[in-house]
Amino acid sequence: MHPTGSYALQYVVPVSILNDDDNYPKLLQRRQELTDSDRKLPAIAATFEQTLTFVENFKCNQQKSIIGKTRLSTLLPKETDGEKKQLTPQQLCYQLNLKLEYLIRTRAIEQHRVISRTSILPTRPIKTKTVSKEPFNRSIPSIVNRSTEKTIISSSMTTFNSTATQEDLADKDSIGDNDEACEEMVEEENVTLLQQQQQQTMTDKDPFEMEDEEYEAEIEEESLRSSESDVDGESTVTLDPIQLLSDKTRRVGNTEIKSGLIRSLFENVPPIIRFCTETQRIEPLPAPLQKMMKWKMSAITPNIVKSTVLRSGFRLISSEEGVDWLGTWSRHMKPPCFKAIREYQKINHFPGSFQIGRKDRLWRNLSHMQAVHSRREFDFVPQTFVLPADFLLFKRVFEETADSKESKWIIKPPASARGQGIRVISKMDQVPKKRPVVVQRYIANPYLINGHKFDMRLYVYVPSHDPLRIYLFDDGLARFASRKYSSSVKSLSDRFMHLTNYSVNRYNSEYRTNNDSAACTGHKWSLKALWAYLKKRDVDVADVIEKIKDLVIKTIISADAFVNVLTKANVRRKFSVHELFGFDVILDENCKPYIVEVNISPSLHSNSPLDISVKGAMICDLLNLSGFMIPDRRDIISDGPVRRKAKLPKSLIFDRRVLPQGLSTDEKVKHQYFSQRYNDEQVRKNILDVLTPDDLRILIETEDEFARRGSFERIFPTNQTRKYLKYFETPRYYNILLSEWITKYTRNEDRGIALLNSFCKKEIHLQHPAVDPNHMWTQYQKNQGHSSYRENDNPNTNGT
């Protein structure tokens, strides 16, 4: 009798056979030698039977190109002159299965023709060893039945793995690049392979096959823990909505840990994913929920956004890894590109926001508002000309003021950023005649602090354009020129004196940084520090802030018509678009604010603790305001084979019924009625007498959003902003609805929330169209306003 270990080493296969597709006769010869040998072992014979079955099937598909042969050569071990490596039967089986796996992935072989097992590769390969004359003992099963012709992958593969010696198990840390590639392929293909149905009855299986299936079940269970697939393994995780939506916080040391979801104020409305700053912590969501949270990275995604979404449990993916992401922070796209955004996804731009993001179009829109309403109401923008179209007009104005102090003009490219191409001029021959530029009257009397000119970067967030809702962050940045200001004409070429951009002034040796958000030192302050400084100098800061709010609201309204038309034409659902604007504002010597420009992609790079403090808190509150929800699996997995999915509680996932949607006939009648009579104050107040399901969805969204505002302040709509409705090019029903709702419940918000919640409990907000006649506008008109749900007080009162 020969020891099993020594016998295995006598029948090793050179690696060169694997690396050469023309060695098929050699494999046939090797099988014959093993079969005819008096000392053969059933395990080795079965192994080679399975190997050659694979090769035979592979030869039948030779008409297909092997596109991965070059890469395959990097995965298979190589022979060197100094060391002749050999493969034992089990190692040969592993390498051939690796090749089969790769050919399936590259579509060189059709999967359904060769796969009949749920696992191709073991969890780890058996380490390749060189031939040695020393005794080598390895446990090999003594009884193995020959596999059927249908089985390509030998079940002895998993047996060799499961009966590996302790020496092999100790080699986990030495797994090389080949093994990492194999494990990656197994992880990616596990979901598909699990769909193969095995219909064989228990009577047709021998003891070895039954043992093999038990082992494969363990492998399957392990793969489910790490796979991104939606399989039944997740059903073992308990998802308790009550616990996940609890408002209770636990404390670890000095840190409060909050729930990973923000509960809605209303019943039957799904929760929102919570985001936190680096000083806060949240409870990780269960794996089935976290697997749905993917954030698409782009070339311009700021690190401050990346770190914030990572803390919330999102997984970062590239555009090549799929389209099942929830959010992204990327460049502005052309309007037709927005059509590809799914209902549950969010992108950080509106189609058409360049109408205020470009300097030339910003002026065109504000100039139009001045012509329609009056220059006095839109006097926060300096006199501006867009060249070359306005060249003759500019020349005439320039000649009229050539001898005055107002002869300074600033030239800007219409679509530049970071101070590029900006110059201050005082002579007509310095103005380009053909190149497109924006020429603006230079504010020669700016408010100075310590002799330095400065501007303010304000962060304005717009989560919706219809209805229009605008939020202003309570902090920002004050950016100083790094050289003291002079009104002398000779200094106009000094960019460090006249420009406040950080990207310009950081190159000045006189520039000083500021790492303290509360300090008034250096050339960059926080906005809160600036307000505190101005208050000490008896500046009416409250009045300045109100003027800034007025400036922001009117500027955004000036582009509202463009944005709404493009959004309606190119976006499936208004939920999917939102935008952060960076407003640059400068004060003159009388502390009157002027708009400098609007950035649709404001810089979020954080180069100092001051930047991190301001921008980090702002991004966290913005993402909480935006309202990301866990998507429904059916929305994500819309194609491919049907997968077994662990059910997620409906109360935790995205529900499109809660969001604004198409209008019913009854709702269209109500919209038309109030849009045509919005100037009648008495009629406007009746808009709340009957709340249709669509009205409820808008109000619920608005109240929930307001509750998550954090350090943002909603500046439109408020109980004081009804005066801005006249600036809209077209009366919008939702703007009227919110204006009247907020005016009525501004001092009694709890009462309004309780009213909405009473309807949510009855699921009125989910109806489309309305089923309850008490929430039908046409029915209300027929009954002359006698609705069964009206409050006891007079509905025409404003609740004050």
Side-chain angles (χ1 to χ4, degrees), residues 396-445:
R396 187 177 65 190
V397 173
F398 183 90
E399 291 173 351
E400 292 175 354
T401 60
D403 298 330
S404 67
K405 295 181 180 180
E406 299 178 355
S407 61
K408 298 183 182 70
W409 299 81
I410 186 168
I411 296 178
K412 307 174 184 179
S416 67
R418 300 184 297 276
Q420 298 176 356
I422 298 179
R423 293 184 299 150
V424 181
I425 62 148
S426 61
K427 298 180 180 179
M428 190 66 192
D429 57 7
Q430 296 173 305
V431 179
K433 295 180 176 58
K434 296 182 179 180
R435 180 164 53 91
V437 293
V438 174
V439 181
Q440 194 173 70
R441 189 179 296 279
Y442 185 65
I443 299 177
N445 59 333

Side-chain angles (χ1 to χ4, degrees), residues 358-364 381-388 390 394 409-416 421-423 425 431-432 435-441 596:
R358 283 178 58 101
K359 300 175 183 65
D360 53 351
R361 300 193 183 187
L362 170 64
W363 164 246
R364 292 293 189 200
V381 56
Q383 189 176 16
T384 308
F385 302 91
V386 179
L387 304 186
D390 299 337
F394 167 67
W409 299 81
I410 186 168
I411 296 178
K412 307 174 184 179
S416 67
I422 298 179
R423 293 184 299 150
I425 62 148
V431 179
R435 180 164 53 91
V437 293
V438 174
V439 181
Q440 194 173 70
R441 189 179 296 279
V596 177

Side-chain angles (χ1 to χ4, degrees), residues 8 11-13 44 47-48 51 87-94 160:
Y11 289 89
V12 292
V13 180
I44 298 177
T47 298
F48 274 90
T51 299
L87 295 179
T88 59
Q90 58 268 34
Q91 294 163 350
L92 170 65
C93 188
Y94 175 82
F160 276 119

Side-chain angles (χ1 to χ4, degrees), residues 532-575:
Y533 176 90
L534 293 178
K535 284 180 180 179
K536 293 180 180 179
R537 270 98 187 137
D538 297 327
V539 174
D540 190 350
V541 172
D543 181 64
V544 174
I545 293 176
E546 287 303 315
K547 290 179 179 178
I548 289 175
K549 292 178 183 178
D550 177 77
L551 174 156
V552 169
I553 295 171
K554 290 178 178 177
T555 299
I556 293 179
I557 290 178
S558 70
D560 176 77
F562 295 96
V563 174
N564 271 292
V565 169
L566 292 175
T567 299
K568 185 176 181 180
N570 298 282
V571 180
R572 298 185 192 180
R573 198 174 289 274
K574 293 178 288 186
F575 169 83

Side-chain angles (χ1 to χ4, degrees), residues 281-294:
R281 293 293 181 270
I282 60 175
E283 289 281 2
L285 293 176
L289 299 181
Q290 280 202 3
K291 287 181 180 180
M292 315 297 287
M293 297 165 56
K294 299 178 183 178

Side-chain angles (χ1 to χ4, degrees), residues 231-403:
V231 293
D232 287 338
E234 293 177 357
S235 61
T236 60
V237 179
T238 302
L239 296 177
D240 184 3
I242 297 178
Q243 181 179 357
L244 291 174
L245 299 179
S246 174
D247 294 331
K248 295 181 179 180
T249 61
R250 64 184 182 92
R251 182 176 294 275
V252 177
N254 295 327
T255 304
E256 283 189 353
I257 302 180
K258 297 184 178 180
S259 169
L261 296 174
I262 301 177
R263 185 172 186 170
S264 170
L265 298 174
F266 308 98
E267 299 291 334
N268 298 310
V269 176
I272 302 300
I273 299 174
R274 187 189 300 274
F275 296 85
C276 65
T277 65
E278 60 180 4
T279 60
Q280 301 170 335
R281 293 293 181 270
I282 60 175
E283 289 281 2
L285 293 176
L289 299 181
Q290 280 202 3
K291 287 181 180 180
M292 315 297 287
M293 297 165 56
K294 299 178 183 178
W295 189 274
K296 178 185 172 184
M297 293 292 289
S298 72
I300 68 163
T301 303
N303 287 334
I304 199 76
V305 174
K306 176 182 175 181
S307 58
T308 303
V309 298
L310 282 174
R311 282 193 295 268
S312 187
F314 277 81
R315 184 167 69 88
L316 306 180
I317 66 171
S318 64
S319 56
E320 291 79 16
E321 294 183 67
V323 295
D324 55 340
W325 45 270
L326 300 190
T328 187
W329 196 278
S330 61
R331 300 182 186 276
H332 199 283
M333 305 185 300
K334 292 183 178 180
C337 297
F338 284 82
K339 294 180 179 179
I341 303 175
R342 300 186 178 184
E343 291 181 313
Y344 59 86
Q345 296 175 329
K346 277 184 173 287
I347 186 169
N348 61 310
H349 292 292
F350 285 97
S353 59
F354 53 82
Q355 288 290 336
I356 59 175
R358 283 178 58 101
K359 300 175 183 65
D360 53 351
R361 300 193 183 187
L362 170 64
W363 164 246
R364 292 293 189 200
N365 290 323
L366 291 177
S367 176
H368 172 74
M369 300 297 280
Q370 288 179 346
V372 173
H373 298 284
S374 80
R375 187 178 298 274
R376 179 182 300 177
E377 295 186 47
F378 288 82
D379 63 346
F380 50 80
V381 56
Q383 189 176 16
T384 308
F385 302 91
V386 179
L387 304 186
D390 299 337
F391 182 79
L392 295 178
L393 180 60
F394 167 67
K395 183 178 180 180
R396 187 177 65 190
V397 173
F398 183 90
E399 291 173 351
E400 292 175 354
T401 60
D403 298 330

